[in-house]
């Protein structure tokens, strides 16, 4: 039994030794290298860049009150369509105590002057009818009475405006009515009923009651890297892709390129604005993320080869062209003059023709 085990053990050792020897021998023998081959083809080369940005209205108008007070009523909400002049909110005026007192004092003085002028007018009228005073004196008294009446009306109206913010003679155009200044879509209503608002003045921008925009006049606003901004110019077309609406691909035309860059994460970029060409803005919302594809350069009907067959040395570009195929392929290195590249294929200006067979990747 022990003799049998020894035979088995030596047999295994011998098998391992032979296998190792064969493996090392197999790996030490050189393999014949073979390559794939490609031919040049004619086609078009485009070099594009993609800008990231957003879809925005060209103008967003902030509607502010013409008088300070408290919001008593809001007639719209975000998403509503309004026309210029529509009332979007009402303001309840909280009068200033000193202004209210001054207006009340003006009313009192005007009432006294009016009562006095009325008494004089009625007395002069009776005297004129008795031919005691001249017509000129009577007319002067009438004018004074009329002016006193106008002053009293004006004082009462001023008091009404200070106390309630509403003119008795032009209530429809009252400052307490906040109206839409353009026709468009309400994007935001940042106030609520009961909110205090102040009118714009030299010391304050005023409270925004609503933001309105014309959604039929949209732009793409994005940024381009400083390495590519020099290749863009106003009037260039672009194709827009909107993430939230993948089936919609509107076109746009660049109308603004910022003359000053801004630094973001250590890289300079320049703002781009492009006007969208849309048959309808239905479904679009302000702030949608979008990408814009711009063709920077294009070469049509040119000789092209895959970039993978190129080799580079310094500023020179080479390919390996097959010169013989028997008994095995022989390749010759040739210099190329290349042009536009799209990252996959490159334009060939000179060095080979369409009949050349080029060495490609090594077969493994």
């Amino acid at each position: 039994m022990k003799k049998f085990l020894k035979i088995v053990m030596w047999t295994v050792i011998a098998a391992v030794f032979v296998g190792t020897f064969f493996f090392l021998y197999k790996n030490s023998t050189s393999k014949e290298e073979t390559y794939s081959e490609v031919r040049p083809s004619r086609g078009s080369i485009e070099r594009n860049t993609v800008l990231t940005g957003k879809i925005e209205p060209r103008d967003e108008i902030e509607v502010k009150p013409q008088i300070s007070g408290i919001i008593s009523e809001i007639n719209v909400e975000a998403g509503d369509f309004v026309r210029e002049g529509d009332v979007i909110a009402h303001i309840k005026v909280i009068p200033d105590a000193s202004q209210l007192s001054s207006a009340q004092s003006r009313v009192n003085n005007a009432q006294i002057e009016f009562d006095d002028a009325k008494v004089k007018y009625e007395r002069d009228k009776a005297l004129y009818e008795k031919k005691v005073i001249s017509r000129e004196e009577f007319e002067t008294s009438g004018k004074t009475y009329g002016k006193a009446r106008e002053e009293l009306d004006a004082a009462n109206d001023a008091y009404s405006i200070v106390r309630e913010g509403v003119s008795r003679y032009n209530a429809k155009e009252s400052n307490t009515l906040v109206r839409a200044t353009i026709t468009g879509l309400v994007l935001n209503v940042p106030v609520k009923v009961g909110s205090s608002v102040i009118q714009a003045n030299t010391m304050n921008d005023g409270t925004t009651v609503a933001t309105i925009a014309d959604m039929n006049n949209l732009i793409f606003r994005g940024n381009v890297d400083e390495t590519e901004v020099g290749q863009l110019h106003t009037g260039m077309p672009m194709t827009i892709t909107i993430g939230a609406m993948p089936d919609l691909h509107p076109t746009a035309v660049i109308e603004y390129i910022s003359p000053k860059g801004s630094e973001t994460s250590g890289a300079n970029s320049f703002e781009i604005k492009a006007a969208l060409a849309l048959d309808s803005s239905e479904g679009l919302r302000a702030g949608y993320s979008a990408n814009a594809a711009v063709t920077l350069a294009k070469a049509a009907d040119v000789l092209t080869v895959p970039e993978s067959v190129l080799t580079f040395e310094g500023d020179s570009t080479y390919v390996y062209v097959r010169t013989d195929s028997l008994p095995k392929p022989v390749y010759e290195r040739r210099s190329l003059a290349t042009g536009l590249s799209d990252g996959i294929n490159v334009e060939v200006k000179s060095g080979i023709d369409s009949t050349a067979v080029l060495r490609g990747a090594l077969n493994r």
Side-chain angles (χ1 to χ4, degrees), residues 191-210:
V191 296
K192 298 180 180 179
V193 172
S195 299
S196 296
V197 295
I198 58 175
Q199 68 182 105
N201 52 51
T202 56
M203 302 297 293
N204 196 293
D205 291 336
T207 305
T208 299
V209 176

Side-chain angles (χ1 to χ4, degrees), residues 65-70 72 89-96 99-100 103 156-179 199:
Q66 299 179 9
I67 195 170
S68 299
I70 294 176
S72 61
H90 294 257
I91 296 178
K92 178 182 178 181
V93 176
I94 305 300
D96 179 80
Q99 293 181 353
L100 187 63
N156 281 319
D157 192 52
Y159 178 74
S160 176
I161 292 174
V162 172
R163 186 182 63 184
E164 302 174 0
V166 179
S167 170
R168 298 186 302 167
Y169 301 111
N170 197 10
K172 291 184 178 180
E173 299 300 325
S174 170
N175 289 344
T176 60
L177 303 179
V178 182
R179 297 179 181 272
Q199 68 182 105

Side-chain angles (χ1 to χ4, degrees), residues 44-95:
S44 297
I45 298 288
E46 290 186 0
R47 186 156 67 86
N48 300 320
T49 188
V50 177
L51 314 182
T52 59
K54 292 183 178 180
I55 302 299
E56 298 179 356
R58 183 179 297 277
D59 296 305
E60 294 185 13
I61 305 301
E62 294 182 344
V63 180
K64 299 178 183 293
Q66 299 179 9
I67 195 170
S68 299
I70 294 176
I71 297 291
S72 61
E73 182 180 341
I74 296 177
N75 299 332
V76 299
E77 60 183 15
D80 289 348
F81 179 82
V82 295
R83 297 190 179 277
E84 181 179 354
D86 287 352
V87 177
I88 60 178
H90 294 257
I91 296 178
K92 178 182 178 181
V93 176
I94 305 300

Side-chain angles (χ1 to χ4, degrees), residues 224-240:
V224 61
D225 189 80
E226 63 180 342
T227 59
E228 296 177 331
V229 68
Q231 301 174 64
L232 301 179
H233 59 81
T234 56
M236 289 183 71
M238 56 172 56
T239 302
I240 308 298

Side-chain angles (χ1 to χ4, degrees), residues 78-82 182-188 211-215 284:
D80 289 348
F81 179 82
V82 295
I182 65 169
T183 297
L185 192 71
V186 178
L187 301 182
N188 186 29
T211 303
I212 305 174
D214 181 3
M215 293 300 289
L284 280 177

Side-chain angles (χ1 to χ4, degrees), residues 252-281:
V253 177
I254 297 177
E255 60 181 17
Y256 170 80
I257 302 174
S258 174
K260 182 180 180 180
S262 58
E263 186 174 343
T264 305
S265 300
N268 285 334
S269 61
F270 292 78
E271 185 181 55
I272 301 291
K273 295 180 185 178
L276 265 67
L278 287 169
D279 295 331
S280 172
S281 62

Side-chain angles (χ1 to χ4, degrees), residues 124-177:
D124 289 348
K125 181 180 180 181
L127 293 174
Y128 174 71
E129 290 174 350
K130 294 178 181 180
K131 301 185 183 301
V132 176
I133 61 174
S134 66
R135 181 181 182 86
E136 181 180 1
E137 290 178 302
F138 173 64
E139 290 178 347
T140 300
S141 178
K143 290 179 181 178
T144 302
Y145 175 56
K147 289 181 179 179
R149 181 168 51 195
E150 289 183 0
E151 171 59 21
L152 178 60
D153 289 342
N156 281 319
D157 192 52
Y159 178 74
S160 176
I161 292 174
V162 172
R163 186 182 63 184
E164 302 174 0
V166 179
S167 170
R168 298 186 302 167
Y169 301 111
N170 197 10
K172 291 184 178 180
E173 299 300 325
S174 170
N175 289 344
T176 60
L177 303 179

